[in-house]
Coordinates of all heavy atoms in Angstrom, one line a residue:
S132 N -198.4 87.7 21.1 CA -197.9 86.7 20.1 C -198.7 85.4 20.2 O -199.2 84.9 19.2 CB -196.4 86.5 20.2 OG -195.8 87.8 20.0
P133 N -198.8 84.8 21.3 CA -199.6 83.5 21.5 C -201.0 83.6 21.0 O -201.6 82.5 20.7 CB -199.5 83.1 22.9 CG -198.2 83.8 23.5 CD -198.3 85.1 22.7
Q134 N -201.5 84.7 21.0 CA -203.0 85.0 20.5 C -203.0 85.4 19.1 O -204.1 85.9 18.7 CB -203.6 85.9 21.4 CG -204.0 85.5 22.8 CD -202.8 85.3 23.7 OE1 -201.8 86.1 23.6 NE2 -202.7 84.4 24.6
G135 N -202.0 85.3 18.3 CA -201.9 85.6 16.9 C -201.2 87.0 16.6 O -201.0 87.4 15.5
G136 N -200.8 87.6 17.7 CA -200.2 89.0 17.5 C -201.1 90.1 17.5 O -202.3 89.9 17.3
T137 N -200.6 91.3 17.9 CA -201.5 92.5 18.1 C -202.2 92.8 16.7 O -203.3 93.2 16.7 CB -200.6 93.7 18.5 OG1 -200.1 93.4 19.8 CG2 -201.5 95.0 18.7
G138 N -201.4 92.6 15.6 CA -202.0 92.8 14.4 C -203.3 92.0 14.0 O -204.0 92.5 13.1
S139 N -203.5 90.9 14.7 CA -204.7 90.1 14.5 C -205.9 90.7 15.1 O -207.0 90.2 14.8 CB -204.5 88.7 14.9 OG -204.4 88.6 16.3
F140 N -205.8 91.7 15.9 CA -207.0 92.4 16.6 C -207.2 93.7 15.8 O -206.5 94.6 15.8 CB -206.6 92.6 18.0 CG -206.5 91.5 18.8 CD1 -205.2 90.8 18.9 CD2 -207.5 90.8 19.5 CE1 -205.1 89.6 19.7 CE2 -207.4 89.7 20.4 CZ -206.2 89.1 20.4
S141 N -208.4 93.8 15.2 CA -208.8 94.9 14.5 C -209.3 96.1 15.5 O -209.3 97.2 15.2 CB -210.0 94.6 13.5 OG -211.1 94.1 14.1
D142 N -209.8 95.6 16.6 CA -210.3 96.5 17.6 C -209.3 96.5 18.8 O -208.9 95.6 19.4 CB -211.6 96.0 18.1 CG -212.3 96.8 19.2 OD1 -211.7 97.9 19.5 OD2 -213.3 96.5 19.7
P143 N -208.8 97.7 19.1 CA -207.8 97.8 20.2 C -208.4 97.3 21.6 O -207.6 96.8 22.3 CB -207.5 99.3 20.3 CG -207.7 99.8 18.8 CD -208.9 99.0 18.3
A144 N -209.6 97.5 21.7 CA -210.3 97.1 22.9 C -210.3 95.6 23.1 O -210.1 95.1 24.2 CB -211.8 97.7 23.0
A145 N -210.4 95.0 21.9 CA -210.3 93.4 22.0 C -208.9 93.0 22.3 O -208.7 92.1 23.0 CB -210.7 92.9 20.7
A146 N -207.9 93.7 21.9 CA -206.5 93.4 22.2 C -206.3 93.6 23.7 O -205.6 92.8 24.3 CB -205.5 94.3 21.4
T147 N -206.8 94.7 24.2 CA -206.7 95.0 25.8 C -207.4 93.8 26.5 O -206.8 93.3 27.5 CB -207.3 96.3 26.0 OG1 -206.7 97.3 25.4 CG2 -207.3 96.6 27.6
A148 N -208.5 93.4 26.0 CA -209.3 92.5 26.7 C -208.4 91.1 26.7 O -208.4 90.3 27.7 CB -210.6 92.2 26.2
A149 N -207.9 90.8 25.5 CA -207.1 89.6 25.4 C -205.8 89.5 26.4 O -205.5 88.5 27.0 CB -206.6 89.3 24.0
L150 N -205.2 90.6 26.4 CA -204.0 90.8 27.3 C -204.4 90.6 28.8 O -203.6 90.0 29.6 CB -203.4 92.2 27.2 CG -202.5 92.3 25.9 CD1 -202.2 93.9 25.7 CD2 -201.1 91.6 26.1
G151 N -205.6 91.0 29.2 CA -206.1 90.9 30.5 C -206.4 89.5 30.9 O -206.5 89.2 32.2
K152 N -206.5 88.6 29.9 CA -206.8 87.2 30.2 C -205.5 86.3 30.3 O -205.6 85.1 30.7 CB -207.7 86.7 29.1 CG -209.1 87.3 29.1 CD -209.9 86.8 27.9 CE -211.3 87.5 27.8 NZ -212.1 87.0 26.7
I153 N -204.4 86.9 30.0 CA -203.1 86.1 29.9 C -202.6 86.0 31.5 O -202.4 87.1 32.1 CB -202.1 86.8 29.0 CG1 -202.6 86.9 27.6 CG2 -200.8 85.9 29.1 CD1 -201.7 87.6 26.7
P154 N -202.3 84.9 32.0 CA -201.7 84.8 33.4 C -200.5 85.6 33.5 O -199.6 85.6 32.5 CB -201.5 83.3 33.5 CG -202.4 82.6 32.5 CD -202.5 83.6 31.4
A155 N -200.3 86.1 34.5 CA -199.1 87.1 34.9 C -197.9 86.3 34.7 O -196.8 86.8 34.1 CB -199.2 87.7 36.2
A156 N -197.9 84.9 35.1 CA -196.7 84.1 35.0 C -196.3 83.9 33.6 O -195.0 83.9 33.2 CB -197.0 82.8 35.8
D157 N -197.3 83.8 32.7 CA -197.0 83.6 31.3 C -196.4 84.9 30.6 O -195.4 84.8 29.9 CB -198.2 83.2 30.5 CG -198.7 81.8 30.8 OD1 -198.0 81.1 31.4 OD2 -199.8 81.5 30.4
L158 N -196.8 86.0 31.1 CA -196.3 87.3 30.6 C -194.9 87.5 31.0 O -194.0 87.9 30.2 CB -197.2 88.4 31.1 CG -198.6 88.5 30.5 CD1 -199.4 89.6 31.3 CD2 -198.7 88.9 29.0
V159 N -194.6 87.2 32.3 CA -193.2 87.4 32.8 C -192.3 86.3 32.0 O -191.2 86.7 31.7 CB -193.2 87.2 34.3 CG1 -191.8 87.0 34.8 CG2 -193.9 88.3 34.9
A160 N -192.8 85.0 31.9 CA -192.0 84.1 31.2 C -191.6 84.6 29.8 O -190.5 84.4 29.2 CB -192.7 82.8 31.1
N161 N -192.5 85.3 29.0 CA -192.3 85.7 27.8 C -191.3 86.9 27.8 O -190.6 87.2 26.9 CB -193.6 86.1 27.1 CG -194.5 84.9 26.6 OD1 -193.8 83.8 26.3 ND2 -195.7 85.0 26.4
L162 N -191.4 87.7 28.9 CA -190.5 88.8 29.0 C -189.1 88.3 29.2 O -188.1 88.8 28.6 CB -190.9 89.8 30.2 CG -192.2 90.7 30.0 CD1 -192.4 91.5 31.2 CD2 -192.0 91.5 28.7
K163 N -188.9 87.3 30.0 CA -187.6 86.7 30.1 C -187.0 86.2 28.9 O -185.8 86.3 28.6 CB -187.7 85.6 31.3 CG -187.8 86.2 32.7 CD -187.8 84.9 33.7 CE -187.6 85.5 35.1 NZ -186.3 86.0 35.3
S164 N -188.0 85.5 28.0 CA -187.5 85.1 26.7 C -187.1 86.3 25.9 O -186.2 86.2 25.0 CB -188.8 84.3 26.0 OG -188.4 83.9 24.7
G165 N -187.9 87.5 26.0 CA -187.5 88.6 25.4 C -186.1 89.1 25.7 O -185.3 89.6 24.9
V166 N -185.7 89.0 27.0 CA -184.4 89.3 27.3 C -183.4 88.4 26.7 O -182.3 88.8 26.3 CB -184.3 89.3 29.0 CG1 -182.8 89.5 29.4 CG2 -185.3 90.3 29.6
D167 N -183.7 87.1 26.7 CA -182.9 86.1 26.0 C -182.6 86.6 24.5 O -181.5 86.5 24.0 CB -183.5 84.8 25.9 CG -183.7 84.1 27.2 OD1 -183.0 84.5 28.2 OD2 -184.6 83.2 27.3
E168 N -183.7 87.0 23.8 CA -183.5 87.4 22.4 C -182.8 88.6 22.3 O -181.9 88.8 21.4 CB -184.9 87.5 21.8 CG -184.9 87.9 20.3 CD -184.3 86.9 19.4 OE1 -184.0 85.8 19.8 OE2 -184.1 87.2 18.2
L169 N -182.9 89.6 23.2 CA -182.3 90.9 23.2 C -180.7 90.6 23.4 O -180.0 91.2 22.7 CB -182.8 91.8 24.4 CG -182.1 93.2 24.4 CD1 -182.5 94.0 23.2 CD2 -182.7 93.9 25.6
A170 N -180.4 89.8 24.3 CA -179.0 89.4 24.5 C -178.4 88.7 23.3 O -177.1 88.9 23.0 CB -178.9 88.5 25.8
R171 N -179.3 88.0 22.6 CA -178.7 87.3 21.3 C -178.5 88.4 20.2 O -177.5 88.3 19.5 CB -179.7 86.3 20.9 CG -179.1 85.4 19.7 CD -180.2 84.6 19.1 NE -181.2 85.3 18.4 CZ -181.1 85.7 17.2 NH1 -180.0 85.5 16.5 NH2 -182.1 86.5 16.6
L172 N -179.4 89.2 20.2 CA -179.3 90.3 19.2 C -178.2 91.4 19.4 O -177.7 91.9 18.4 CB -180.7 91.0 18.9 CG -181.9 90.2 18.3 CD1 -183.1 90.9 18.4 CD2 -181.5 89.9 16.8
A173 N -178.0 91.6 20.7 CA -177.0 92.6 21.0 C -176.0 92.0 22.0 O -175.9 92.3 23.2 CB -177.8 93.8 21.7
P174 N -175.2 91.1 21.5 CA -174.2 90.4 22.4 C -173.2 91.3 23.0 O -172.8 92.3 22.4 CB -173.4 89.4 21.4 CG -173.7 90.0 20.0 CD -175.0 90.6 20.1
E175 N -172.8 91.0 24.2 CA -171.7 91.8 24.9 C -172.2 93.2 25.2 O -171.4 94.0 25.5 CB -170.4 91.7 24.2 CG -169.9 90.3 24.0 CD -168.5 90.3 23.3 OE1 -168.0 91.4 23.0 OE2 -168.1 89.2 23.0
Q176 N -173.5 93.5 25.2 CA -174.0 94.8 25.6 C -174.8 94.7 26.9 O -175.4 93.7 27.1 CB -174.8 95.5 24.5 CG -174.0 95.8 23.2 CD -174.8 96.4 22.1 OE1 -175.8 97.1 22.6 NE2 -174.5 96.2 20.9
K177 N -174.7 95.8 27.7 CA -175.6 95.8 28.8 C -177.1 96.0 28.4 O -177.4 96.6 27.4 CB -175.3 97.0 29.7 CG -173.9 96.8 30.3 CD -173.5 98.0 31.3 CE -172.2 97.9 32.0 NZ -171.9 99.0 32.9
L178 N -178.0 95.4 29.2 CA -179.3 95.3 28.8 C -180.2 96.1 29.8 O -179.9 96.2 31.0 CB -179.8 93.8 28.8 CG -179.0 92.9 28.0 CD1 -179.5 91.5 28.1 CD2 -178.8 93.2 26.6
A179 N -181.3 96.6 29.4 CA -182.3 97.3 30.1 C -183.8 96.9 29.7 O -183.9 96.4 28.6 CB -182.1 98.8 30.0
A180 N -184.7 97.3 30.5 CA -186.1 97.1 30.2 C -186.8 98.4 30.4 O -186.7 99.0 31.5 CB -186.7 95.9 31.0
V181 N -187.7 98.7 29.5 CA -188.6 100.0 29.6 C -189.9 99.6 29.4 O -190.3 99.0 28.4 CB -188.1 101.1 28.7 CG1 -189.0 102.3 28.8 CG2 -186.6 101.5 29.0
G182 N -190.9 99.9 30.3 CA -192.3 99.5 30.1 C -193.2 100.7 30.4 O -192.9 101.7 31.2
F183 N -194.4 100.7 29.7 CA -195.4 101.7 29.9 C -196.8 101.2 30.3 O -197.2 100.2 29.7 CB -195.5 102.5 28.5 CG -194.3 103.1 28.1 CD1 -193.4 102.3 27.2 CD2 -193.8 104.4 28.4 CE1 -192.2 102.8 26.7 CE2 -192.6 104.9 28.0 CZ -191.8 104.1 27.1
C184 N -197.3 101.9 31.3 CA -198.7 101.5 31.7 C -198.7 100.0 32.1 O -197.9 99.7 33.0 CB -199.6 101.7 30.6 SG -201.4 101.3 31.0
M185 N -199.4 99.1 31.5 CA -199.4 97.7 31.9 C -197.9 97.2 31.8 O -197.4 96.4 32.6 CB -200.2 96.9 30.9 CG -200.3 95.4 31.2 SD -200.8 94.4 29.8 CE -199.5 94.4 28.7
G186 N -197.2 97.7 30.7 CA -195.8 97.3 30.5 C -194.9 97.7 31.6 O -193.9 97.1 32.0
G187 N -195.2 98.9 32.3 CA -194.5 99.4 33.4 C -194.7 98.4 34.6 O -193.7 98.1 35.4
G188 N -196.0 98.0 34.8 CA -196.2 97.0 35.8 C -195.5 95.7 35.6 O -195.0 95.1 36.5
L189 N -195.4 95.3 34.4 CA -194.8 94.1 34.0 C -193.2 94.3 34.3 O -192.6 93.2 34.7 CB -195.1 93.6 32.6 CG -196.5 93.2 32.4 CD1 -196.7 92.9 30.9 CD2 -196.6 91.8 33.2
V190 N -192.6 95.4 34.1 CA -191.2 95.6 34.4 C -191.0 95.4 35.9 O -190.1 94.7 36.4 CB -190.8 97.0 33.9 CG1 -189.4 97.2 34.5 CG2 -190.7 97.1 32.4
W191 N -192.0 96.0 36.8 CA -191.8 95.7 38.2 C -191.9 94.2 38.5 O -191.2 93.6 39.3 CB -192.9 96.3 38.9 CG -192.8 97.9 39.0 CD1 -193.7 98.8 38.6 CD2 -191.7 98.6 39.7 NE1 -193.2 100.1 38.9 CE2 -192.1 99.9 39.6 CE3 -190.6 98.2 40.3 CZ2 -191.3 101.0 40.1 CZ3 -189.8 99.3 40.8 CH2 -190.1 100.6 40.7
Q192 N -192.9 93.4 37.7 CA -193.0 92.0 38.0 C -191.8 91.2 37.4 O -191.4 90.2 38.1 CB -194.3 91.6 37.3 CG -195.5 92.1 37.9 CD -196.8 91.3 37.3 OE1 -196.8 90.1 37.2 NE2 -197.8 92.0 37.1
L193 N -191.2 91.7 36.4 CA -189.9 91.1 35.9 C -188.9 91.1 37.0 O -188.1 90.3 37.3 CB -189.5 91.7 34.6 CG -188.3 91.1 33.9 CD1 -188.5 89.7 33.6 CD2 -187.9 92.0 32.7
L194 N -188.8 92.3 37.7 CA -187.7 92.5 38.7 C -188.1 91.6 39.9 O -187.2 91.0 40.5 CB -187.8 93.9 39.1 CG -187.1 95.0 38.1 CD1 -187.4 96.5 38.7 CD2 -185.8 94.7 37.7
A195 N -189.4 91.5 40.2 CA -189.8 90.7 41.4 C -189.5 89.2 41.1 O -189.2 88.4 42.0 CB -191.3 90.9 41.7
A196 N -189.5 88.8 39.8 CA -189.3 87.5 39.4 C -187.9 87.1 39.5 O -187.5 85.9 39.3 CB -189.9 87.2 38.0
G197 N -187.0 88.2 39.5 CA -185.6 88.0 39.4 C -185.0 88.0 38.1 O -185.3 87.0 37.3
E198 N -184.4 89.1 37.7 CA -183.8 89.1 36.3 C -182.4 89.8 36.5 O -182.4 91.0 36.2 CB -184.8 89.9 35.4 CG -184.3 89.8 33.9 CD -183.7 88.6 33.4 OE1 -184.4 87.7 33.0 OE2 -182.4 88.4 33.5
P199 N -181.4 89.0 36.8 CA -180.1 89.7 37.1 C -179.4 90.1 35.8 O -178.3 90.8 35.9 CB -179.4 88.4 37.8 CG -180.1 87.2 37.3 CD -181.5 87.6 37.1
R200 N -179.8 89.7 34.7 CA -179.1 90.1 33.4 C -179.3 91.6 33.1 O -178.7 92.2 32.2 CB -179.6 89.3 32.2 CG -179.2 87.8 32.3 CD -179.8 86.9 31.2 NE -181.3 86.9 31.4 CZ -182.1 86.3 30.6 NH1 -181.6 85.7 29.5 NH2 -183.4 86.3 30.7
L201 N -180.3 92.2 33.7 CA -180.6 93.6 33.4 C -179.6 94.5 34.2 O -179.3 94.3 35.3 CB -182.0 94.1 33.8 CG -183.1 93.3 33.0 CD1 -184.5 93.8 33.5 CD2 -183.0 93.6 31.5
A202 N -179.2 95.6 33.5 CA -178.3 96.6 34.2 C -179.2 97.8 34.7 O -179.0 98.4 35.6 CB -177.2 97.1 33.3
A203 N -180.3 98.0 34.0 CA -181.3 99.1 34.3 C -182.7 98.7 33.9 O -182.9 97.9 33.1 CB -180.8 100.4 33.5
A204 N -183.6 99.4 34.6 CA -185.0 99.2 34.4 C -185.7 100.5 34.5 O -185.4 101.3 35.5 CB -185.6 98.1 35.2

Side-chain angles (χ1 to χ4, degrees):
S132 297
Q134 288 71 34
T137 301
S139 66
F140 293 86
S141 58
D142 181 3
T147 298
L150 280 166
K152 296 176 182 178
I153 303 174
D157 290 351
L158 293 171
V159 171
N161 285 335
L162 287 181
K163 284 182 172 286
S164 180
V166 177
D167 292 339
E168 181 65 8
L169 184 64
R171 188 190 70 81
L172 291 169
E175 300 181 4
Q176 292 185 29
K177 291 183 178 180
L178 309 179
V181 177
F183 303 89
C184 183
M185 181 197 81
L189 286 173
V190 169
W191 286 122
Q192 291 194 40
L193 182 62
L194 294 176
E198 186 42 83
R200 293 172 294 177
L201 296 178

